[in-house]
Amino acid sequence: MSDTTPSSSKTADKAGFAIAFGLAALSFVVGWDAWRLSSVNAHSAVGPAAFPTIISAGLALLAVATAVEAMRAGPVDRPRDEIVPMAWVLAGLVGQIALLPFLGFSIATGWLFAATAKGFGKGPIWGHFLAGTLMCFIIYLIFAKGLQLSLPAGPLERLI
C-alpha cells in the first residue's frame, strides 16, 4: 500500500516560495495604496479604494495558495528557459515603446504583434507585421474615432 502523504524528508519548492513572497509583497503594496486611497472623499458608496482592496485580497490569497503548493509539491523539475523566444518578445515590447512617439499606435503595436509571433515560432515576421498593423489600425479607429479616446498618432493614423 503506497502512502500519498508528503514525507517529512521532502524539501519545499524554493522557487514556489519566491513566487509566493513576490505575490505577498505585491499584495502589500497594492493594499497600502488602497488604504491611502480610502481617505479620498468619494461621491458614491464605492470609492477609489474598492477595487485595489479586492485586488490586494486576491493577491494575498494567491500568495498563500502558492506557498501551500510549494510545501506540498516539493522540488519541481522545470524545463530549461529558451532565451531566443524571450528575446523576441522583449524586443517587441522595447520596440513598441521606442516606436510609439514616432510611428504611432498602429505601426508600433504591429511590431509588437510580429515580434511576439516570431517568439512563439510563427513566421514570416513581415506577414505578421502587416496583419498586426492592420488589426491595430482598426483598433485605433474604434478607440480614437468611435470612443473619442486619444492614442499616439503616427503617419498611418494621420491619413484619416
Side-chain angles (χ1 to χ4, degrees):
M1 185 166 158
S2 67
D3 187 15
T4 58
T5 60
S7 66
S8 60
S9 65
K10 189 186 255 189
T11 59
D13 181 19
K14 292 177 185 173
F17 277 124
I19 293 168
F21 178 77
L23 287 169
L26 189 59
S27 171
F28 176 77
V29 169
V30 173
W32 178 268
D33 196 38
W35 177 75
R36 289 182 338 127
L37 283 173
S38 65
S39 65
V40 174
N41 290 335
H43 299 290
S44 66
V46 178
F51 286 106
T53 302
I54 293 169
I55 291 169
S56 176
L59 286 169
L61 286 172
L62 286 173
V64 170
T66 303
V68 168
E69 185 62 26
M71 286 187 292
R72 253 200 250 160
V76 177
D77 291 332
R78 291 184 172 78
R80 190 176 65 83
D81 290 334
E82 297 291 333
I83 300 299
V84 174
M86 289 190 294
W88 271 106
V89 174
L90 184 62
L93 289 168
V94 170
Q96 183 193 31
I97 292 167
L99 294 174
L100 267 173
F102 307 107
L103 297 178
F105 176 78
S106 300
I107 295 173
T109 310
W111 163 249
L112 173 63
F113 182 83
T116 304
K118 180 70 173 171
F120 280 98
K122 305 293 181 192
I125 195 165
W126 62 269
H128 290 292
F129 175 74
L130 291 176
T133 301
L134 178 64
M135 284 189 302
C136 293
F137 185 68
I138 293 169
I139 291 168
Y140 176 85
L141 290 175
I142 292 169
F143 275 79
K145 302 301 180 189
L147 299 173
Q148 301 296 315
L149 296 173
S150 177
L151 291 174
L156 188 61
E157 291 85 3
R158 289 188 192 107
L159 289 175
I160 55 164

